[in-house]
Amino acid sequence: MRSRLNLLVKFIGPGPGPRQYIQRCPETNTLPLDHRRHISAYGYTQAKALVYPKHGSPSDVLALHTHSISPPHSQLLTLRTLAAPLNPADINQIQGTYPTAPPFTSAIGTAQPHAVPGNEACFEVLSAGSACKHVSKGDWVIPRRTGLGTWRTHLQVEEDQIMKVDNTGLKAEQVATVSVNPVTAYRMLKDFTKLEEGDWFIQNGANSGVGRAAVQLGKTWGLNSICIVRKREGTEGETLKREMQELGATVVVSDEEVMEKGFGERVKEWTNGGRERLGLGLNCVGGDAGMAMAKVLDAGGTVVTYGAMSRSPMRVGAGMLIFKDLRFLGFWVSRWGDRVPEEKKQTIDEILGLIREGKFKDVPMVEVPWSWETEKEDLLDAVQGTLDGFRKGKGIFKFGDT
């Protein structure tokens, strides 16, 4: 047996950790799986993370940091990231313009406190401490709350910081993107006014991640939708219209059509002469566009604002409040989810169930590969693409051999 083995090979893992001596496999001359780069013989996991020491432009402040993670104990878990999306809110946190942000710490061995960006992800449990009760090696988990810092290959967290998900029939990118946009759409359709089967809602930014989710959920629940999208010329506009209708949109119109005189009469035609209730508006644009949408709501209707892409204020006329009794409310899914994590988990499970049943489709995605050899510049280009908005779908880090 000894004659078939190679000589002992010295292996020193990057970063802090014990010096080890391991044997290579005689047939393939490769290291055993649990001795390759990411896990040493003593259980140390090598990790890389995008980090920033201060707020600013991502291209100026982001760096790629390499560090080691010690074996988990007690209620600690060591996780490997499978997929992590790049959301506009993540960029805003780096810039320092978002209401919340991940903490600046030296927990991963940086010389000065740094923060790790990213709020959504799908992780695989690599190892668990002896006191962990609800998850085990191989399980898929997602962050329980925002601010975990997900743009990294591996991390170590307490068990109560994550939620276990059933990954049966699911892809990592589906799980990684479920907790923000689909949950936002679900809660806005359910929590602000009671919509019966056959009722209508109207939304701007309808081809966004939230908008696409709202269309599909609405169709599942028997709701009709008026979907407003930015005007596109020629075949691009027709293609988007067909795409939205295939998802379940009842009516698709451009933002310019909404501003035209007579739009209210068109809405009456669509809603059977106004006999079918149009009671909810979902607003991510704001400004005059948001108010034009509010004007066509039935008396007693509700406008829920979850974004402000136009960066313009909404000027609510007194008549809307007095004579139409409209309500104007806001929704921030991060605050909601942090306040009621168990209800968030139930919502996520229901949406994942719809994905398994083929009733809920992914948003278009642009995968950004991240392996151990990936250079910082490639990752920063992906972040810049999210900032510039020049992408055909949601950017998502897809982790390979890390």
Side-chain angles (χ1 to χ4, degrees):
M1 183 69 177
R2 290 174 60 90
S3 64
R4 295 186 61 210
L5 297 176
N6 290 348
L7 294 175
L8 291 173
V9 179
K10 185 195 302 186
F11 174 77
I12 304 177
R19 187 176 299 240
Q20 314 138 43
Y21 294 88
I22 60 176
Q23 291 175 318
R24 291 184 178 272
C25 171
E27 286 79 13
T28 64
N29 195 38
T30 59
L31 299 175
L33 182 61
D34 61 346
H35 290 75
R36 294 179 192 174
R37 177 185 55 249
H38 59 283
I39 301 180
S40 75
Y42 290 86
Y44 281 77
T45 300
Q46 305 306 316
K48 289 186 178 182
L50 282 174
V51 298
Y52 58 101
K54 61 182 180 180
H55 295 301
S57 172
S59 60
D60 294 334
V61 299
L62 283 178
L64 188 59
H65 173 67
T66 302
H67 63 107
S68 293
I69 299 174
S70 61
H73 59 86
S74 186
Q75 294 183 327
L76 290 175
L77 299 167
T78 299
L79 310 177
R80 180 173 78 93
T81 315
L82 302 178
L86 297 88
N87 292 312
D90 302 328
I91 308 299
N92 296 151
Q93 287 184 330
I94 298 170
Q95 296 169 324
T97 60
Y98 202 70
T100 62
F104 288 87
T105 76
S106 298
I108 59 174
T110 52
Q112 64 185 90
H114 281 63
V116 180
N119 291 283
E120 281 189 292
C122 173
F123 307 107
E124 178 187 15
V125 177
L126 286 184
S127 51
S130 59
C132 292
K133 299 179 180 179
H134 304 294
V135 297
S136 57
K137 182 178 180 180
D139 287 343
W140 283 14
V141 297
I142 60 176
R144 180 175 291 272
R145 294 178 174 84
T146 55
L148 186 62
T150 60
W151 292 2
R152 44 180 155 183
T153 63
H154 305 79
L155 69 161
Q156 192 169 87
V157 297
E158 296 279 349
E159 186 181 25
D160 62 4
Q161 292 181 271
I162 52 85
M163 297 178 176
K164 179 181 175 180
V165 296
D166 178 6
N167 63 359
T168 304
L170 299 172
K171 298 181 291 186
E173 53 267 36
Q174 293 171 325
V175 175
T177 55
V178 72
S179 63
V180 174
N181 291 338
V183 171
T184 296
Y186 185 109
R187 299 318 322 176
M188 289 194 299
L189 289 174
K190 286 287 190 182
D191 293 349
F192 292 90
T193 189
K194 186 172 178 57
L195 296 176
E196 305 286 352
E197 186 173 348
D199 285 348
W200 291 72
F201 68 93
I202 184 170
Q203 62 169 340
N204 52 34
N207 62 315
S208 66
V210 174
R212 289 169 180 265
V215 165
Q216 295 180 80
L217 292 171
K219 180 183 178 182
T220 298
W221 299 331
L223 304 177
N224 297 301
S225 57
I226 301 172
C227 293
I228 306 167
V229 298
R230 181 174 54 82
K231 183 179 179 180
R232 291 163 169 78
E233 299 296 336
T235 57
E236 184 182 0
E238 289 301 315
T239 298
L240 177 59
K241 183 176 181 178
R242 285 195 303 271
E243 185 179 340
M244 296 301 298
Q245 289 172 335
E246 289 171 0
L247 288 176
T250 312
V251 177
V252 183
V253 295
S254 74
D255 52 353
E256 292 187 3
E257 291 177 86
V258 177
M259 304 301 292
E260 293 174 353
K261 185 178 180 180
F263 180 69
E265 292 302 314
R266 295 176 66 189
V267 171
K268 282 187 178 180
E269 292 177 10
W270 298 327
T271 58
N272 193 21
R275 287 184 288 273
E276 296 171 3
R277 180 170 175 255
L278 174 54
L280 179 65
L282 307 181
N283 171 47
C284 68
V285 178
D288 293 340
M291 293 313 302
M293 185 179 69
K295 287 178 182 178
V296 301
L297 288 178
D298 289 349
T302 300
V303 176
V304 182
T305 294
Y306 66 98
M309 291 167 52
S310 71
R311 299 187 179 182
S312 298
M314 293 176 62
R315 297 177 175 86
V316 181
M320 287 189 173
L321 302 175
I322 298 171
F323 304 117
K324 291 195 70 175
D325 192 26
L326 296 185
R327 296 190 307 154
F328 291 83
L329 303 171
F331 182 66
W332 183 22
V333 72
S334 298
R335 179 170 56 194
W336 174 86
D338 290 350
R339 188 176 69 245
V340 287
E342 291 309 314
E343 191 171 355
K344 173 183 174 181
K345 177 65 165 58
Q346 293 171 6
T347 304
I348 287 171
D349 287 342
E350 185 171 340
I351 295 170
L352 293 178
L354 292 174
I355 294 175
R356 292 189 191 93
E357 296 171 11
K359 297 179 180 179
F360 193 98
K361 295 182 180 179
D362 307 338
V363 297
M365 296 187 196
V366 177
E367 293 186 0
V368 180
W370 186 340
S371 67
W372 189 261
E373 290 77 21
T374 301
E375 300 290 341
K376 180 187 77 170
E377 289 71 23
D378 296 329
L379 302 177
L380 293 189
D381 285 346
V383 175
Q384 187 65 38
T386 300
L387 184 63
D388 295 338
F390 299 143
R391 194 180 272 133
K392 293 295 185 180
K394 173 184 281 292
I396 184 166
F397 289 127
K398 192 69 181 297
F399 294 81
D401 179 18
T402 56

